[in-house]
């Protein structure tokens, strides 16, 4: 896409029930330009690296102590290549002045974004020894949602501690942790400062 230019339309999406981001901008890479071609039309999707959802849910249900978490602003932790920045332009009005901006992070609306996220996570995890935490992150991360757990409170505390450390080394923070154990929840709330633990019930995927 060298020397090409494309302007992405965008709009705010409001979700007042969100625990982390109530208002977020969404960029539409499927919107067509004057030539009827969209950015997604010019982009490879990439192979599907997601595990089978049924397998993730079955493995999740085997744990006595269940753990759900996700990666905070996952797509925004991955940079757009410098040579692709001009096809990620958009207009932004500040103080009645319309400016041309460029998205430097992978936007959710790109059809290649799920592949880029999962390929990045796979590459990062491949650099670590095959511990239980690495295996759980590798097998049970569905896009940016992680479903895991263990047989005891101590197992889950150790699992979350290692998983958080590993993911933070990729600039990715595990957040919105939910558990079926108040003891583990209190520990993670205290050590990881995750305010989302105050919810009584959550949706899984």
């Amino acid at each position: 896409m060298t020397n090409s230019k494309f302007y992405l339309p965008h709009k705010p999406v409001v979700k007042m029930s969100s625990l982390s981001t109530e208002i977020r901008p969404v960029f539409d890479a499927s919107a067509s330009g004057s030539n009827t071609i969209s950015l997604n039309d010019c982009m490879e999707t990439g192979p599907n690296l997601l595990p089978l959802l049924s397998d993730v849910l079955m493995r999740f249900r085997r744990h006595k102590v269940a753990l759900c978490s996700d990666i905070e602003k996952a797509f925004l932790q991955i940079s757009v290549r410098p040579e692709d920045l001009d096809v990620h332009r958009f207009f932004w009005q500040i103080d009645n002045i319309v400016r041309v901006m460029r998205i430097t992070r992978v936007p959710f609306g790109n059809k290649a974004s799920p592949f880029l996220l999962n390929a990045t996570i796979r590459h990062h995890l491949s650099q670590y020894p095959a511990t239980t935490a690495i295996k759980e992150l590798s097998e049970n991360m569905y896009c940016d949602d992680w479903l895991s757990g263990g047989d005891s409170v101590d197992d889950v505390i150790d699992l979350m501690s290692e998983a958080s450390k590993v993911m933070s080394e990729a600039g990715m923070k595990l957040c919105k942790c939910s558990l079926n154990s108040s003891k583990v929840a209190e520990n993670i709330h205290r050590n990881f400062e995750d305010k989302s633990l105050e919810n009584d019930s959550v949706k899984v995927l």
Side-chain angles (χ1 to χ4, degrees):
M1 294 184 179
T2 305
N3 298 324
S4 298
K5 295 180 176 64
F6 191 85
Y7 291 82
L8 291 165
H10 57 88
K11 64 179 180 179
V13 172
V14 180
K15 186 178 180 182
M16 301 307 293
S17 62
S18 174
L19 296 171
S20 56
T21 310
E22 293 181 351
I23 303 174
R24 67 182 67 198
V26 174
F27 295 86
D28 188 1
S30 296
S32 301
S34 58
N35 58 358
T36 72
I37 297 175
S38 71
L39 179 60
N40 277 345
D41 290 333
C42 305
M43 188 181 299
E44 291 289 343
T45 304
N48 182 6
L49 299 180
L50 293 174
L52 287 175
L53 183 55
S54 57
D55 290 351
V56 174
L57 291 174
M58 288 293 287
R59 288 192 290 266
F60 175 62
R61 290 181 63 85
R62 77 183 188 271
H63 300 298
K64 292 180 180 178
V65 182
L67 165 67
C68 299
S69 184
D70 71 16
I71 302 171
E72 185 176 35
K73 300 179 176 64
F75 293 107
L76 298 182
Q77 310 313 315
I78 305 171
S79 298
V80 173
R81 298 189 312 167
E83 55 266 40
D84 291 333
L85 288 175
D86 277 332
V87 295
H88 289 85
R89 292 184 173 201
F90 63 99
F91 295 112
W92 194 262
Q93 183 171 306
I94 304 175
D95 298 329
N96 295 320
I97 299 174
V98 176
R99 304 183 183 185
V100 174
M101 314 288 279
R102 300 189 302 180
I103 305 170
T104 61
R105 299 289 179 161
V106 171
F108 177 77
N110 283 9
K111 70 178 184 180
S113 294
F115 164 74
L116 293 173
L117 174 61
N118 285 277
T120 299
I121 293 173
R122 282 193 178 196
H123 173 71
H124 177 66
L125 296 178
S126 70
Q127 301 176 72
Y128 292 84
T131 63
T132 298
I134 297 300
K135 186 173 186 292
E136 285 293 315
L137 288 168
S138 300
E139 294 182 352
N140 299 312
M141 183 74 74
Y142 194 85
C143 199
D144 61 343
D145 290 302
W146 184 41
L147 302 185
S148 188
D151 291 333
S152 70
V153 167
D154 289 340
D155 286 346
V156 175
I157 291 173
D158 291 343
L159 175 69
M160 185 63 188
S161 179
E162 182 181 350
S164 294
K165 182 177 183 296
V166 167
M167 296 306 294
S168 68
E169 289 173 355
M172 297 184 180
K173 178 184 177 183
L174 290 176
C175 67
K176 290 192 284 189
C177 298
S178 301
L179 305 106
N180 62 348
S181 165
S182 58
K183 184 176 180 180
V184 182
E186 289 170 3
N187 181 282
I188 293 177
H189 182 85
R190 181 173 61 254
N191 293 322
F192 298 94
E193 299 181 356
D194 195 330
K195 305 305 181 184
S196 61
L197 293 167
E198 296 170 2
N199 273 358
D200 294 328
S201 62
V202 296
K203 295 179 180 179
V204 175
L205 292 178

